[in-house]
Amino acid sequence: MPAFYRNSFPLVLIMAAIYRAAYRRAALFYRSHSTYVRKMRYLNKLKEDDSLCRQAQTSGTFYIFHNLSPFLQKVGKKYLIPQLSAAEMKRILEKFKETEQWIEKSVLIGCSDEHVPHFALDLGALERSVIEVELEGSFTDLRKAFFVVDEKDSSLLASAQGLLRWHDSHQYCSKTGQPTQKNVAGSKRVCHASGITYYPQMSPVVIILVSDGSRCLLARQASFPQGMYTALSGFCDVGEAVEEAVRREVAEEVGLEAESLWYSASQHWPFPSSCLMIACHALVRRQQLEISMNSLELEEARWFGLEEIMEGLKREPKSAKQDNGSYLPWFPPKQAIAHKLIDEWVKQQTSQPTQVL
C-alpha cells in the first residue's frame, strides 16, 4: 500500500466514525422532535399521571354521547362531530344542575398535534332531547353515524364508544365482586380489594376475501341489509394464530381449503363491540371450488366475477332494489375494511398496482 494511503487510512476511519455519530445524533433529534412522537409521549403521560390528566380536562375538548350514541350536527349535506370546549361542557352541566365532577367520567381518546387533549363523555343520565335542542344536533346510532361522517371521524367515534362501553361493563372486579376504580384518563380500572388492574381489550377477528384466481367469494347473513354481500369473517379462537383462524373460518363457513393467504390491513371495528379486524386475502385450491355453505352462519355465499364486482362497487344501497322487489348485489362502503379487500382484488385482476399503506 502506498505511503499516502497508509497515512490517510486512520483519518478515513475517524471521519467515518464522526459521520456515523453525527447521523445518529441527527436521527435522535428528529425522532425526539417529531410531532407524532411528542404527541404519543404526551398522551402516555396523560394516561399515567392523574393530576396532569385532570388539569388537561380543563383545557381539552369533548365529544359527547348519550347511552353510547354519538352527538352529530348536520351542516349542509355533511355530518360533523362537534368538539365542545371545557367551558361549554361546564355550562351544559350547570344547566342540568350537575357538578363539574361529571367531567371526571370522561375518557381520553387522543389529542391534536398542538397537544389539545380530546375526551369522550357519555351524558346518558341527562335528558336527551334538551341536550339536542341546546346544541342544535342529534344523538345518532353509531352504525348510522359511522357511515355518514368522514373516515377519520369514524375511527374516532369507534374508539370513543368502545372505551365508554368497556368502562360501563367493567365496573366490578370479576374476582372479588368489588367496585373497580377508573383512572382519570380511563386507560385502566383497578380493584383495590384484590390489587388487579384491568385494561381495555379488543377481540381479534379475521376477515377474508377468498379467491380462486379469477373470481372472489362473498357471502351474506340473514341480518344483513337486503342485497349486501361482504367478505367472510369470524373471531379468532384462544391460542389460534391468524393464519389458522383464516383457514378454519374458510373451511367452516364455505367448505373450502385455503391454499395460500396474505395480509392486507387492519381496522378497529365497533360492531358488535370493540374488535380488531385483521384483513387477509386467501387463495383456494382450484380442484375444490364447490361451495358447501354453513347455513347456521350464512344465508348465501357465491362466487362473483370481475364485471359483477365492479358494477356492485358503483351501486348504492338505495339503487339496489329492482321493480320486482329483488335486490342487486351491493358491497360495504369505503369506511369498511371489506371494501378495501374487494377493491384490492379488483386492482389485482386489472393489473393495477395495489396501494401500499
Side-chain angles (χ1 to χ4, degrees):
M1 181 183 292
F4 171 79
Y5 291 104
R6 286 201 303 271
N7 294 336
S8 63
F9 190 62
L11 180 61
V12 172
L13 291 177
I14 292 170
M15 293 300 294
I18 292 173
Y19 175 80
R20 285 196 298 271
Y23 177 82
R24 284 196 296 270
R25 285 196 298 270
L28 181 61
F29 176 87
Y30 175 78
R31 286 198 300 272
S32 64
H33 288 75
S34 159
T35 299
Y36 177 78
V37 170
R38 284 189 285 110
K39 182 165 72 171
M40 291 302 105
R41 289 186 173 176
Y42 175 62
L43 282 172
N44 188 59
K45 286 181 181 178
L46 293 179
K47 293 176 183 178
E48 298 299 325
D49 189 330
D50 282 353
S51 297
L52 183 65
C53 190
R54 193 173 285 108
Q55 181 182 353
Q57 287 174 336
T58 64
S59 60
T61 59
F62 291 81
Y63 297 84
I64 59 172
F65 290 70
H66 193 279
N67 292 328
L68 300 179
S69 293
F71 182 78
L72 303 183
Q73 289 177 333
K74 189 173 183 181
V75 180
K77 295 183 178 180
K78 287 190 174 183
Y79 287 88
L80 304 178
I81 311 172
Q83 299 181 36
L84 305 183
S85 67
E88 184 72 359
M89 279 306 311
K90 180 181 177 181
R91 185 186 68 80
I92 293 172
L93 293 173
E94 287 177 348
K95 187 179 183 69
F96 283 87
K97 296 181 172 55
E98 299 291 347
T99 67
E100 288 184 59
Q101 290 180 336
W102 255 69
I103 290 179
E104 289 223 5
K105 297 179 181 180
S106 67
V107 293
L108 178 71
I109 57 173
C111 75
S112 68
D113 290 343
E114 294 75 29
H115 291 191
V116 176
H118 303 318
F119 297 90
L121 179 60
D122 197 298
L123 303 178
L126 306 182
E127 190 174 345
R128 173 174 177 156
S129 60
V130 177
I131 302 174
E132 291 178 330
V133 171
E134 180 73 19
L135 298 178
E136 298 181 350
S138 61
F139 292 100
T140 307
D141 176 76
L142 181 66
R143 190 174 290 275
K144 178 182 177 182
F146 197 76
F147 296 115
V148 298
V149 300
D150 290 341
E151 187 174 350
K152 184 181 73 172
D153 290 334
S154 294
S155 176
L156 185 144
L157 284 183
S159 300
Q161 199 235 40
L163 200 52
L164 290 169
R165 182 192 294 273
W166 181 83
H167 280 284
D168 185 57
S169 60
H170 287 75
Q171 296 183 32
Y172 296 91
C173 177
S174 60
K175 184 175 182 180
T176 66
Q178 295 298 310
T180 56
Q181 183 66 44
K182 157 187 162 320
N183 70 334
V184 177
S187 60
K188 59 186 177 183
R189 299 187 73 92
V190 178
C191 173
H192 295 292
S194 65
I196 298 175
T197 300
Y198 295 92
Y199 295 96
Q201 296 179 335
M202 291 193 297
S203 301
V205 176
V206 290
I207 179 166
I208 317 111
L209 187 67
V210 174
S211 174
D212 67 355
S214 59
R215 300 175 298 173
C216 71
L217 187 152
L218 298 174
R220 57 174 280 105
Q221 297 178 358
S223 60
F224 286 3
Q226 289 291 328
M228 193 191 86
Y229 289 78
T230 187
L232 303 178
S233 64
F235 287 94
C236 295
D237 282 345
V238 174
E240 191 174 51
V242 170
E243 295 84 354
E244 294 170 326
V246 167
R247 290 192 168 94
R248 175 182 55 76
E249 283 294 334
V250 174
E252 285 180 356
E253 295 196 357
V254 292
L256 299 175
E257 186 174 346
E259 189 172 47
S260 61
L261 58 99
W262 58 99
Y263 169 81
S264 170
S266 63
Q267 179 186 33
H268 178 237
W269 192 248
F271 311 111
S273 57
S274 290
C275 301
L276 176 63
M277 301 290 283
I278 305 165
C280 299
H281 292 271
L283 191 65
V284 296
R285 300 187 180 193
R286 282 188 170 275
Q287 297 84 354
Q288 181 201 13
L289 299 179
E290 183 178 350
I291 296 172
S292 174
M293 188 185 74
N294 181 347
S295 58
L296 296 177
E297 295 279 344
L298 302 174
E299 181 182 70
E300 186 181 358
R302 68 181 183 86
W303 293 104
F304 286 78
L306 176 60
E307 185 176 344
E308 192 174 11
I309 288 290
M310 294 179 73
E311 287 299 317
L313 285 172
K314 299 173 186 176
R315 192 172 292 126
E316 295 288 337
K318 292 181 180 179
S319 64
K321 188 173 183 179
Q322 301 184 93
D323 294 338
N324 62 4
S326 64
Y327 287 80
L328 294 169
W330 59 276
F331 309 130
K334 292 181 179 179
Q335 292 93 330
I337 203 165
H339 185 101
K340 174 181 170 60
L341 283 173
I342 296 169
D343 188 55
E344 284 178 342
W345 182 82
V346 169
K347 290 177 180 177
Q348 291 165 7
Q349 296 299 306
T350 55
S351 300
Q352 295 179 14
T354 301
Q355 183 181 2
V356 179
L357 294 180

